[in-house]
Amino acid sequence: MSNQPNPELTPPNIIIKGSKKFDITPSVNFNGQTGICKISGESHHQNDRDFYLPLVQWIRNYAKTGRPLEFNFKFIYFSTASSKQILLLIEALKQYEQAGGVVTVNWYYPDDDEEILEEAEDYIHATNLKMNLISY
């Protein structure tokens, strides 16, 4: 990775409005210009891999810019299958950090939901990526 940020490599924004129809998908807002990413809501759908793979690829593409990245998770529920895909997102963030990227991860969780907090702690343990755990 270059020591100088390269804005020419900025990936396009990803904006997905969450859905609660047949497949329940989270809301996504990945901003290539600011480096601020948000994923929130519920996640349990038929094709978790198809939904999350472009998000993981976006992180890998953004890493080529060399700019700081802030990632905000705010799930209220996710399935076991989604959990595996979320781990892939977190692993991509860790890879960027290991390559010299500045990565800030904020994990928001409902103050009455120990399971969402425990999932974050498991991700921290599995990846050794620092996360700010923030109750609301």
Side-chain angles (χ1 to χ4, degrees):
M1 187 171 88
S2 170
N3 290 337
Q4 296 297 318
N6 188 342
E8 294 174 12
L9 298 175
T10 300
N13 297 344
I14 295 179
I15 298 173
I16 301 169
K17 185 176 184 215
S19 171
K20 291 191 176 191
K21 294 184 180 175
F22 178 70
D23 281 339
I24 298 177
T25 58
S27 295
V28 175
N29 187 337
F30 288 11
N31 188 308
Q33 289 73 38
T34 65
I36 297 174
C37 300
K38 299 175 187 173
I39 185 166
S40 61
E42 297 180 52
S43 182
H44 47 103
H45 35 88
Q46 298 294 330
N47 298 309
D48 290 293
R49 188 174 186 282
D50 292 342
F51 182 84
Y52 282 96
L53 187 60
L55 305 181
V56 171
Q57 190 58 50
W58 188 95
I59 293 169
R60 291 179 179 147
N61 290 338
Y62 184 87
K64 295 173 187 174
T65 70
R67 297 193 321 253
L69 182 61
E70 177 184 313
F71 210 94
N72 298 288
F73 292 95
K74 194 173 185 180
F75 286 107
I76 57 174
Y77 173 81
F78 51 88
S79 66
T80 302
S82 290
S83 176
K84 293 175 184 177
Q85 300 306 313
I86 294 164
L87 178 59
L88 294 177
L89 286 175
I90 293 169
E91 287 173 341
L93 294 168
K94 181 62 178 181
Q95 289 168 357
Y96 183 34
E97 181 184 73
Q98 288 175 323
V102 175
V103 177
T104 302
V105 179
N106 300 310
W107 184 277
Y108 296 87
Y109 63 96
D111 58 8
D112 62 347
D113 191 333
E114 290 293 315
E115 288 182 32
I116 297 283
L117 174 60
E118 289 172 5
E119 287 287 343
E121 291 169 342
D122 288 346
Y123 291 138
I124 292 168
H125 181 73
T127 63
N128 204 28
L129 180 66
K130 181 184 180 303
M131 289 190 211
N132 301 310
L133 303 176
I134 304 165
S135 69
Y136 64 94

